[in-house]
Amino acid sequence: MITIKEAKTKKELTDYIKFPFSLYKDNPYWVPPIIADELESFDKTKNPAFDNAEAYFYLAYKDNKIVGRITAIINWAEVNNQHKRKVRFGWFDVIDDIEVTKALLEKVYELGRKHNLEHAEGPMGFSNLDKVGVLTEGFDQVGTMITWYNNPYYVTHFEQLGFQIEKEYIESIFPFSNVKPEFFLKAQALIKKRYELRALNFTKTKDIMPHVDKMFDLFNESYAKLASFVAISDVQKEYFKKKYISFINPEYIKFVVDKDDNLVAFSIVMPSFTEALQKAKGKLFPFGFIHLLRARKKSKDVVFYLIGVHPDYQNKGVTAIIFDEYYKTFSEKGIKNCIRTPELAENTAIHLLWKNFDPKIHCQRKTYLKYL
């Protein structure tokens, strides 16, 4: 018999977070999260995502053993402002038992029907800065700290339960040796001169902070046209600023400004924490933070997390300036591989940015939809 229980207490939520640790215990491709960080993300008093969203965390039990988990989410900004009558689901993990999947998803349907919503979609998080998509190709590829890993049978379960593909994402990788400066060196100089632009580089986090709000504003403007986009609120900006910016190497954040110091483009790259997180096994102490700090300083792989260009400057080659700055930084640091996080397959503009680097798609993922 399958029993579904809502996780509410700290212990129950910790059990919820720890379930994938047992499910993927011997899987070399799964990247564990930091348990304390996940707990904070699920804390309605700390994560400002809950200002515009409600979420419920469910565990599935069979023979008194946890066999699955799911989060049912309504992003009310999406429902009320974009008129998308959708209930989301995320943090979905399950054993290979379709009855467990069916029971977990029923809790999602219940929440959607309660609020007269039209369809369920997932896996996805609270906002666009959360993880997204079920892995459909690349099961033999190690993940990153900002993607979910899953077994192939997840897709089979969704298909058998009548879900349809909603959005498709690709992830790719290319060796830094593929980056040839002749593709952007001359162009960036011409673009700087033509549009009176200049790059901003940083060596100290405190020097970045005055620009971060403008960066998030530009992020909202850059991605506003994408069908799946929900803008980042002012409160969320503060939360992300405190939680993440100080952890990113300042030299990996690049800005481009105009003659009046208006921000026209930005990019955030992170060192790969994959190996460090696997060694940490979900805990910062006693040694987990040492692995993370070492990766921050010494990782030879980097992950392109965000890139944004003001609509007025899109298709004008501004990214050549960003690539030129990263080329100098990565050359100095001896970077070996560049990894791209999930990008919408339909976002052809972003894919064209990388064409000269000959990236190889190594993972694909999808979100699935079902009408209620």
Side-chain angles (χ1 to χ4, degrees), residues 16 19-20 23-24 68-71 89-95 100-102 104-105 122-124 134 148-150 153-155 157-158 161:
Y16 179 98
F19 171 63
L23 186 65
Y24 296 108
R69 68 171 190 170
I70 202 167
T71 303
F89 65 91
W91 288 273
F92 171 72
D93 285 292
V94 68
I95 63 170
V100 178
T101 296
K102 187 186 298 183
L104 286 167
L105 284 167
M124 60 201 322
V134 63
W148 282 311
Y149 183 85
N150 58 266
Y153 59 77
Y154 285 35
V155 176
H157 287 195
F158 290 141
L161 292 174

Coordinates of all heavy atoms in Angstrom, one line a residue, residues 16 19-20 23-24 68-71 89-95 100-102 104-105 122-124 134 148-150 153-155 157-158 161:
Y16 N 12.8 14.3 3.3 CA 12.5 14.6 1.9 C 13.7 14.9 1.1 O 13.9 14.4 0.0 CB 11.5 15.9 2.0 CG 11.0 16.4 0.6 CD1 9.8 16.0 0.1 CD2 11.8 17.2 -0.2 CE1 9.3 16.5 -1.1 CE2 11.4 17.7 -1.4 CZ 10.1 17.3 -1.8 OH 9.7 17.8 -3.0
F19 N 16.1 11.7 0.5 CA 15.6 10.6 -0.2 C 16.5 10.3 -1.5 O 16.9 9.1 -1.7 CB 14.2 10.7 -0.6 CG 13.7 9.6 -1.6 CD1 13.7 8.3 -1.2 CD2 13.3 10.0 -2.9 CE1 13.3 7.3 -2.1 CE2 12.9 9.0 -3.8 CZ 12.9 7.7 -3.4
P20 N 16.8 11.3 -2.3 CA 17.7 11.0 -3.4 C 19.1 10.5 -3.1 O 19.7 9.8 -3.9 CB 17.8 12.4 -4.2 CG 16.6 13.1 -3.7 CD 16.4 12.7 -2.3
L23 N 18.4 6.9 -3.1 CA 18.0 6.5 -4.5 C 19.2 6.4 -5.4 O 19.3 5.5 -6.3 CB 17.0 7.4 -5.0 CG 16.3 7.0 -6.3 CD1 15.5 5.7 -6.2 CD2 15.4 8.2 -6.8
Y24 N 20.1 7.4 -5.3 CA 21.3 7.5 -6.2 C 22.6 7.2 -5.5 O 23.7 7.7 -5.9 CB 21.3 8.9 -6.9 CG 20.1 9.1 -7.7 CD1 19.1 10.0 -7.3 CD2 20.0 8.5 -8.9 CE1 18.0 10.3 -8.1 CE2 18.8 8.7 -9.7 CZ 17.9 9.6 -9.3 OH 16.8 9.8 -10.1
G68 N 9.4 7.9 -2.7 CA 9.3 8.9 -3.6 C 9.0 10.3 -3.0 O 8.7 10.3 -1.8
R69 N 9.2 11.3 -3.7 CA 8.9 12.7 -3.2 C 8.5 13.6 -4.4 O 8.8 13.3 -5.6 CB 10.1 13.3 -2.6 CG 11.3 13.6 -3.6 CD 12.4 14.3 -2.9 NE 13.3 14.8 -3.9 CZ 14.3 15.7 -3.7 NH1 14.5 16.1 -2.5 NH2 15.1 16.1 -4.7
I70 N 7.8 14.7 -4.1 CA 7.4 15.7 -5.1 C 7.0 17.0 -4.3 O 6.6 16.9 -3.2 CB 6.2 15.2 -5.9 CG1 6.1 15.9 -7.2 CG2 4.9 15.3 -5.2 CD1 5.2 15.2 -8.2
T71 N 7.2 18.1 -5.0 CA 6.7 19.4 -4.5 C 5.6 19.9 -5.5 O 5.8 19.9 -6.7 CB 7.9 20.4 -4.5 OG1 8.9 19.9 -3.7 CG2 7.4 21.7 -3.9
F89 N 5.2 21.2 -10.7 CA 5.7 20.3 -9.7 C 7.2 20.2 -9.9 O 7.7 20.3 -11.1 CB 5.0 18.9 -9.9 CG 5.3 18.2 -11.2 CD1 6.3 17.3 -11.4 CD2 4.4 18.4 -12.2 CE1 6.5 16.6 -12.6 CE2 4.6 17.7 -13.5 CZ 5.6 16.8 -13.6
G90 N 7.9 19.9 -8.8 CA 9.4 19.8 -8.9 C 9.9 18.9 -7.8 O 9.2 18.3 -7.0
W91 N 11.3 18.9 -7.7 CA 12.0 18.0 -6.8 C 11.3 16.6 -6.8 O 11.0 16.1 -5.7 CB 11.9 18.7 -5.4 CG 12.8 19.9 -5.3 CD1 14.2 19.9 -5.0 CD2 12.5 21.3 -5.6 NE1 14.7 21.2 -5.0 CE2 13.7 22.0 -5.4 CE3 11.3 21.9 -5.9 CZ2 13.7 23.4 -5.6 CZ3 11.3 23.3 -6.1 CH2 12.5 24.0 -5.9
F92 N 11.1 16.1 -8.0 CA 10.4 14.8 -8.1 C 11.5 13.7 -8.2 O 12.4 13.7 -9.1 CB 9.6 14.9 -9.4 CG 9.0 13.5 -9.8 CD1 8.0 13.0 -9.1 CD2 9.6 12.9 -10.9 CE1 7.5 11.7 -9.5 CE2 9.0 11.6 -11.3 CZ 8.0 11.1 -10.6
D93 N 11.4 12.8 -7.3 CA 12.2 11.6 -7.4 C 11.4 10.4 -6.9 O 10.6 10.5 -6.0 CB 13.4 11.7 -6.5 CG 14.5 12.7 -7.1 OD1 15.1 12.3 -8.1 OD2 14.7 13.8 -6.5
V94 N 11.7 9.2 -7.6 CA 10.8 8.1 -7.3 C 11.5 6.8 -7.7 O 12.4 6.8 -8.5 CB 9.5 8.3 -8.1 CG1 9.7 8.1 -9.6 CG2 8.4 7.3 -7.6
I95 N 11.1 5.7 -7.0 CA 11.6 4.4 -7.4 C 10.9 4.0 -8.7 O 9.9 4.7 -9.1 CB 11.3 3.3 -6.3 CG1 9.8 3.2 -6.1 CG2 12.1 3.7 -5.0 CD1 9.5 2.0 -5.2
V100 N 3.6 4.6 -7.6 CA 4.1 5.6 -6.7 C 4.1 7.0 -7.4 O 3.6 8.0 -6.8 CB 5.5 5.3 -6.2 CG1 6.0 6.4 -5.3 CG2 5.5 4.0 -5.5
T101 N 4.5 7.0 -8.6 CA 4.5 8.3 -9.4 C 3.1 8.8 -9.5 O 2.8 10.0 -9.3 CB 5.1 8.0 -10.8 OG1 6.5 7.7 -10.7 CG2 5.0 9.3 -11.7
K102 N 2.1 7.9 -9.8 CA 0.7 8.3 -10.0 C 0.2 8.9 -8.7 O -0.5 9.9 -8.7 CB -0.1 7.1 -10.4 CG -1.5 7.4 -10.7 CD -2.3 6.1 -11.0 CE -1.8 5.3 -12.2 NZ -2.6 4.1 -12.4
L104 N 1.9 10.3 -6.2 CA 2.5 11.6 -5.9 C 1.9 12.7 -6.8 O 1.6 13.8 -6.4 CB 4.0 11.6 -6.2 CG 4.8 10.8 -5.1 CD1 6.2 10.5 -5.6 CD2 4.9 11.6 -3.8
L105 N 1.7 12.4 -8.1 CA 1.2 13.4 -9.0 C -0.2 13.8 -8.7 O -0.7 14.9 -9.0 CB 1.3 12.9 -10.5 CG 2.7 13.0 -11.0 CD1 2.8 12.2 -12.3 CD2 3.2 14.4 -11.3
G122 N 6.0 20.1 -15.2 CA 7.2 19.9 -14.4 C 8.1 18.9 -15.1 O 7.8 18.4 -16.2
P123 N 9.2 18.6 -14.4 CA 9.7 19.2 -13.2 C 10.2 20.6 -13.4 O 10.9 20.9 -14.4 CB 10.8 18.3 -12.8 CG 10.7 17.1 -13.6 CD 10.1 17.5 -14.9
M124 N 9.9 21.5 -12.4 CA 10.4 22.9 -12.4 C 10.3 23.4 -11.0 O 9.6 22.8 -10.2 CB 9.7 23.7 -13.4 CG 8.2 23.8 -13.2 SD 7.2 24.3 -14.6 CE 8.2 25.5 -15.4
V134 N 13.3 17.2 -16.7 CA 13.7 15.9 -16.4 C 14.7 15.5 -17.5 O 14.5 15.8 -18.7 CB 12.4 14.9 -16.4 CG1 11.7 14.9 -17.7 CG2 12.8 13.5 -16.0
W148 N 19.0 18.9 -12.1 CA 18.5 17.6 -11.5 C 19.0 16.4 -12.3 O 19.1 16.5 -13.6 CB 17.0 17.6 -11.4 CG 16.4 18.4 -10.4 CD1 16.7 18.4 -9.0 CD2 15.2 19.3 -10.5 NE1 15.9 19.2 -8.4 CE2 15.0 19.8 -9.2 CE3 14.4 19.6 -11.6 CZ2 13.9 20.7 -9.0 CZ3 13.4 20.5 -11.3 CH2 13.2 21.1 -10.1
Y149 N 19.3 15.4 -11.7 CA 19.6 14.1 -12.3 C 18.4 13.2 -12.1 O 17.8 13.3 -11.1 CB 20.9 13.5 -11.8 CG 21.3 12.2 -12.5 CD1 22.0 12.2 -13.7 CD2 20.9 10.9 -12.1 CE1 22.3 11.1 -14.4 CE2 21.2 9.8 -12.7 CZ 21.9 9.9 -13.9 OH 22.2 8.7 -14.6
N150 N 18.2 12.2 -13.0 CA 17.1 11.2 -12.8 C 17.4 10.0 -13.6 O 18.2 10.0 -14.6 CB 15.8 11.8 -13.2 CG 15.7 12.3 -14.6 OD1 15.9 13.5 -14.8 ND2 15.4 11.4 -15.5
Y153 N 13.7 5.9 -16.3 CA 12.3 5.5 -16.2 C 11.3 6.6 -15.8 O 10.1 6.5 -16.0 CB 12.1 4.3 -15.2 CG 12.6 4.6 -13.8 CD1 11.8 5.3 -12.9 CD2 13.8 4.0 -13.4 CE1 12.3 5.5 -11.6 CE2 14.2 4.2 -12.1 CZ 13.5 5.0 -11.2 OH 13.9 5.2 -9.9
Y154 N 11.9 7.7 -15.4 CA 11.0 8.9 -15.1 C 10.2 9.3 -16.3 O 9.0 9.5 -16.3 CB 11.8 10.1 -14.6 CG 12.4 10.1 -13.3 CD1 12.8 8.9 -12.7 CD2 12.5 11.2 -12.5 CE1 13.4 8.8 -11.4 CE2 13.1 11.2 -11.2 CZ 13.5 10.0 -10.7 OH 14.1 10.0 -9.4
V155 N 10.9 9.4 -17.5 CA 10.2 9.7 -18.7 C 9.2 8.7 -19.1 O 8.0 9.1 -19.5 CB 11.3 9.8 -19.9 CG1 10.6 10.1 -21.2 CG2 12.3 10.9 -19.5
H157 N 7.4 6.9 -17.1 CA 6.3 7.1 -16.2 C 5.4 8.2 -16.7 O 4.2 8.1 -16.8 CB 6.7 7.4 -14.8 CG 7.3 6.2 -14.1 ND1 7.5 6.2 -12.7 CD2 7.7 5.0 -14.5 CE1 8.0 5.0 -12.3 NE2 8.1 4.3 -13.4
F158 N 6.0 9.4 -17.1 CA 5.2 10.5 -17.5 C 4.5 10.1 -18.8 O 3.3 10.5 -19.0 CB 6.1 11.7 -17.8 CG 6.7 12.3 -16.6 CD1 8.0 12.8 -16.6 CD2 6.0 12.5 -15.5 CE1 8.6 13.4 -15.5 CE2 6.5 13.1 -14.3 CZ 7.8 13.5 -14.3
L161 N 1.5 7.9 -18.2 CA 0.4 8.6 -17.5 C -0.2 9.7 -18.3 O -1.0 10.5 -17.7 CB 1.0 9.2 -16.1 CG 1.4 8.1 -15.1 CD1 2.1 8.7 -13.9 CD2 0.2 7.3 -14.7

